């Protein structure tokens, strides 16, 4: 006879939720696993006490400066260019980056002025992204296409002085050029 399971047991299959024990303080880096462009973010855990992390995200607790370095480096066009030759392509485009960008990214060195600047720019662009989203009805509408909203936000941020500087610093660090993406249209 099959035993009945509670809703909580069904949701917490293999303890994927109950094993997510995060500290009350600190910075959590989050990065996506798929697509042509990695989508990375950093959050202050003190602001999100009841956080649940989706299984399709890579995450890591990091010191604040390092977390924003990861955000800046991984969201850069230079990283997209660096991983492009290795990114599998399916019927709907590039997909399944998984850990490739993390293996290509240089280790954070807090004594390196350029790495510190990448972290500062990652933090500034995170703040700018929040402002742009709050001010834009399309970007702030969760019912709109997520890929289109991401593309539009990337295009907007890449046109800022901070976005241009970030791409240049990351390109030097990764040994690539600053990539122009013809798919990114600010009016998409």
């Amino acid at each position: 006879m099959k035993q009945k399971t509670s809703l909580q047991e069904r949701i917490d299959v293999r303890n994927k939720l109950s094993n997510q024990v995060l500290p009350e303080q600190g910075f959590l880096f989050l990065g996506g696993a798929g697509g042509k462009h990695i989508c990375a973010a950093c959050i202050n855990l003190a602001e999100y006490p009841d956080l649940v992390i989706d299984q399709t995200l890579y995450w890591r607790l990091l010191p604040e400066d390092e977390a924003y370095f990861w955000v800046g480096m991984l969201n850069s066009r230079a990283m997209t260019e660096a991983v492009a030759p290795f990114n599998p392509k399916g019927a709907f485009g590039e997909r399944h980056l998984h850990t490739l960008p993390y293996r290509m990214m240089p280790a954070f060195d807090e004594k390196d002025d350029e790495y510190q600047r990448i972290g500062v720019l990652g933090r500034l662009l995170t703040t700018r992204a929040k402002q742009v989203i709050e001010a834009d009805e399309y970007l702030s509408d969760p019912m709109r296409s997520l890929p289109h909203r991401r593309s539009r936000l990337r295009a907007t941020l890449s046109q800022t002085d901070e976005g241009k500087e970030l791409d240049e610093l990351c390109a030097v660090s990764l040994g690539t050029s600053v990539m122009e993406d013809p798919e990114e249209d600010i009016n998409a």
Side-chain angles (χ1 to χ4, degrees):
M1 181 173 174
K2 191 172 183 178
Q3 190 176 28
K4 289 187 176 185
T5 56
S6 70
L7 177 60
Q8 181 174 348
E9 290 170 325
R10 284 190 240 164
I11 292 172
D12 195 19
V13 174
R14 293 187 294 280
N15 299 320
K16 288 183 179 182
L17 292 178
S18 56
N19 284 340
Q20 290 185 21
V21 179
L22 300 170
E24 292 179 14
Q25 301 290 319
F27 286 83
L28 180 68
F29 166 82
L30 301 157
K36 176 179 179 181
H37 303 276
I38 191 164
C39 184
C42 169
I43 61 171
N44 182 342
L45 289 173
E47 296 174 20
Y48 299 92
D50 297 320
L51 184 67
V52 175
I53 303 169
D54 184 85
Q55 68 177 356
T56 62
L57 295 175
Y58 290 103
W59 58 277
R60 188 170 183 181
L61 293 166
L62 294 168
E64 184 176 6
D65 290 344
E66 185 174 1
Y68 282 108
F69 166 80
W70 282 44
V71 168
M73 182 65 75
L74 291 166
N75 283 326
S76 72
R77 290 177 183 227
M79 180 59 79
T80 299
E81 182 176 327
V83 299
F86 310 101
N87 195 353
K89 195 169 193 172
F92 299 104
E94 291 89 345
R95 58 192 182 140
H96 305 303
L97 287 165
H98 291 290
T99 60
L100 179 61
Y102 305 98
R103 291 179 296 185
M104 298 182 86
M105 186 174 66
F108 178 69
D109 179 357
E110 64 187 28
K111 295 178 182 131
D112 186 305
D113 290 341
E114 288 185 358
Y115 288 3
Q116 285 290 337
R117 184 66 184 156
I118 289 170
V120 167
L121 292 166
R123 185 187 330 259
L124 290 171
L125 287 164
T126 296
T127 300
R128 174 78 61 101
K130 289 177 186 175
Q131 293 166 346
V132 168
I133 292 167
E134 289 171 1
D136 186 304
E137 189 176 317
Y138 182 89
L139 292 176
S140 62
D141 183 352
M143 299 307 291
R144 300 288 187 148
S145 164
L146 182 58
H148 288 133
R149 289 186 293 142
R150 283 183 180 168
S151 179
R152 190 166 164 174
L153 181 59
R154 263 194 320 275
T156 300
L157 295 176
S158 71
Q159 294 175 2
T160 66
D161 291 340
E162 297 90 349
K164 290 174 186 173
E165 183 182 356
L166 176 70
D167 282 334
E168 290 171 8
L169 286 171
C170 292
V172 169
S173 181
L174 293 166
T176 64
S177 61
V178 177
M179 180 177 138
E180 294 296 324
D181 190 343
E183 295 175 13
E184 287 187 7
D185 178 6
I186 196 167
N187 298 313

